[in-house]
PDB file of all heavy atoms in Angstrom:
ATOM      1  N   PRO C 262     -12.764  -9.328   2.596  1.00 96.00           N
ATOM      2  CA  PRO C 262     -11.984  -9.470   1.366  1.00 96.00           C
ATOM      3  C   PRO C 262     -12.468 -10.678   0.564  1.00 96.00           C
ATOM      4  O   PRO C 262     -12.928 -11.668   1.147  1.00 96.00           O
ATOM      5  CB  PRO C 262     -10.554  -9.672   1.873  1.00 96.00           C
ATOM      6  CG  PRO C 262     -10.542  -9.105   3.250  1.00 96.00           C
ATOM      7  CD  PRO C 262     -11.917  -9.343   3.803  1.00 96.00           C
ATOM      8  N   PRO C 263     -12.387 -10.618  -0.752  1.00 95.00           N
ATOM      9  CA  PRO C 263     -12.884 -11.725  -1.580  1.00 95.00           C
ATOM     10  C   PRO C 263     -12.057 -12.991  -1.378  1.00 95.00           C
ATOM     11  O   PRO C 263     -10.820 -12.954  -1.415  1.00 95.00           O
ATOM     12  CB  PRO C 263     -12.747 -11.195  -3.010  1.00 95.00           C
ATOM     13  CG  PRO C 263     -11.671 -10.156  -2.924  1.00 95.00           C
ATOM     14  CD  PRO C 263     -11.816  -9.529  -1.572  1.00 95.00           C
ATOM     15  N   ARG C 264     -12.741 -14.111  -1.145  1.00 94.00           N
ATOM     16  CA  ARG C 264     -12.035 -15.367  -0.984  1.00 94.00           C
ATOM     17  C   ARG C 264     -11.955 -16.082  -2.327  1.00 94.00           C
ATOM     18  O   ARG C 264     -12.914 -16.076  -3.101  1.00 94.00           O
ATOM     19  CB  ARG C 264     -12.736 -16.266   0.036  1.00 94.00           C
ATOM     20  CG  ARG C 264     -11.916 -17.514   0.345  1.00 94.00           C
ATOM     21  CD  ARG C 264     -12.543 -18.420   1.362  1.00 94.00           C
ATOM     22  NE  ARG C 264     -11.677 -19.549   1.630  1.00 94.00           N
ATOM     23  CZ  ARG C 264     -12.013 -20.603   2.367  1.00 94.00           C
ATOM     24  NH1 ARG C 264     -13.213 -20.655   2.923  1.00 94.00           N
ATOM     25  NH2 ARG C 264     -11.171 -21.599   2.553  1.00 94.00           N
ATOM     26  N   ALA C 265     -10.810 -16.681  -2.593  1.00 92.00           N
ATOM     27  CA  ALA C 265     -10.611 -17.418  -3.834  1.00 92.00           C
ATOM     28  C   ALA C 265     -10.563 -18.910  -3.536  1.00 92.00           C
ATOM     29  O   ALA C 265     -10.212 -19.325  -2.429  1.00 92.00           O
ATOM     30  CB  ALA C 265      -9.314 -16.976  -4.511  1.00 92.00           C
ATOM     31  N   ALA C 266     -10.922 -19.700  -4.520  1.00 90.00           N
ATOM     32  CA  ALA C 266     -10.806 -21.147  -4.365  1.00 90.00           C
ATOM     33  C   ALA C 266      -9.329 -21.501  -4.201  1.00 90.00           C
ATOM     34  O   ALA C 266      -8.483 -21.050  -4.977  1.00 90.00           O
ATOM     35  CB  ALA C 266     -11.387 -21.850  -5.590  1.00 90.00           C
ATOM     36  N   ALA C 267      -9.015 -22.262  -3.176  1.00 84.00           N
ATOM     37  CA  ALA C 267      -7.627 -22.572  -2.858  1.00 84.00           C
ATOM     38  C   ALA C 267      -7.236 -23.929  -3.429  1.00 84.00           C
ATOM     39  O   ALA C 267      -7.732 -24.972  -2.993  1.00 84.00           O
ATOM     40  CB  ALA C 267      -7.412 -22.558  -1.345  1.00 84.00           C
ATOM     41  N   ALA C 268      -6.331 -23.906  -4.421  1.00 89.00           N
ATOM     42  CA  ALA C 268      -5.820 -25.165  -4.974  1.00 89.00           C
ATOM     43  C   ALA C 268      -4.685 -25.719  -4.117  1.00 89.00           C
ATOM     44  O   ALA C 268      -4.360 -26.900  -4.196  1.00 89.00           O
ATOM     45  CB  ALA C 268      -5.345 -24.935  -6.405  1.00 89.00           C
ATOM     46  N   ASP C 269      -4.101 -24.847  -3.304  1.00 94.00           N
ATOM     47  CA  ASP C 269      -2.987 -25.224  -2.437  1.00 94.00           C
ATOM     48  C   ASP C 269      -3.553 -25.723  -1.102  1.00 94.00           C
ATOM     49  O   ASP C 269      -4.191 -24.959  -0.373  1.00 94.00           O
ATOM     50  CB  ASP C 269      -2.098 -23.998  -2.210  1.00 94.00           C
ATOM     51  CG  ASP C 269      -0.734 -24.358  -1.645  1.00 94.00           C
ATOM     52  OD1 ASP C 269      -0.547 -25.525  -1.245  1.00 94.00           O
ATOM     53  OD2 ASP C 269       0.127 -23.468  -1.608  1.00 94.00           O
ATOM     54  N   PRO C 270      -3.348 -26.996  -0.735  1.00 96.00           N
ATOM     55  CA  PRO C 270      -3.949 -27.538   0.494  1.00 96.00           C
ATOM     56  C   PRO C 270      -3.502 -26.784   1.740  1.00 96.00           C
ATOM     57  O   PRO C 270      -2.300 -26.503   1.912  1.00 96.00           O
ATOM     58  CB  PRO C 270      -3.435 -28.985   0.530  1.00 96.00           C
ATOM     59  CG  PRO C 270      -3.029 -29.295  -0.870  1.00 96.00           C
ATOM     60  CD  PRO C 270      -2.546 -28.003  -1.455  1.00 96.00           C
TER      61      PRO C 270
END
Side-chain angles (χ1 to χ4, degrees):
R264 187 179 182 188
D269 195 350

